[in-house]
Amino acid sequence: MTQKPSPLRPFGVLVILTIILLMALMGCSVPESGEICSPERTNLVYEAARKRGFEAYNNLESAQQCSRVNGKPILLVFTGWAFLSDQALPWKVLEDTEIKDRVKNDFLLVTLYVDDKSKIPNPQNPNDSITWGESNLKFQVERFQTNVNPLFVLLNSELEPIGEVKGYTPIEERESFLRFLDQVSTVEEK
């Protein structure tokens, strides 16, 4: 006795194909390792980077996990929203074609805004919360002993600095920024 195919079978296939199509349209991807390794796509930081052709993390821990998976170092950029000119400063040098290609292919970009007014939830004491900007600035000052912005820092997957940090770099000094990025290969050769 043969069983008739279920009339719902084509519907199930259609649902699966629709889900795959929606994931593709939303830009979701799963790297070969099977772990999701991409920045959040729903925040202002991501949009500020995306409109310049980059994908940027706003969470150092997520970037660290991805760095461990794919072996790429992290390019951490401390910046701010408050001053329109300051907001554009880190992007000027990063938008140079050669630098942009290097950053996109060889690094995980993380942008931490030191004046982000979003509150960090504190479940233990909701009245005692700080902003992401305060937290980012505190991390910058404690870890790198400066509050200069923009500040570029190269980190390995254990969040250890690679070479020297770099402050604002005008586009006219692009070679200086390329040498800054080259610190990664110098450390890897040792």
Side-chain angles (χ1 to χ4, degrees), residues 29 31 35-41 45-46 49 53-78 91 94 99-112 151-159 162 177 180-181 184 188:
S29 63
E35 293 186 40
I36 294 177
C37 191
S38 65
E40 293 178 37
R41 300 179 192 282
V45 172
Y46 179 80
F54 293 94
E55 286 196 357
Y57 292 84
N58 68 335
N59 178 311
L60 196 52
E61 291 76 23
S62 295
Q64 179 183 25
Q65 290 174 354
C66 191
S67 177
R68 288 177 175 161
V69 168
N70 68 21
K72 288 184 178 182
I74 296 167
L75 173 57
L76 173 60
V77 182
F78 290 97
W91 299 108
L94 292 175
I99 292 171
K100 185 176 196 173
D101 288 344
R102 292 268 315 269
V103 170
K104 287 174 71 172
N105 295 321
D106 301 339
F107 297 89
L108 298 173
L109 180 62
V110 177
T111 52
L112 297 183
L151 183 71
F152 300 93
V153 182
L154 299 172
L155 301 170
N156 65 20
S157 63
E158 298 307 313
L159 303 182
I162 301 171
F177 199 84
F180 166 72
L181 296 177
V184 171
E188 289 174 351

Side-chain angles (χ1 to χ4, degrees), residues 34 44 69 74 80 88 98 101 106 111 136 138 144 179 181 190:
L44 291 174
V69 168
I74 296 167
E98 185 177 358
D101 288 344
D106 301 339
T111 52
N136 292 338
K138 181 179 178 189
F144 305 106
R179 285 191 301 277
L181 296 177
K190 291 182 180 178

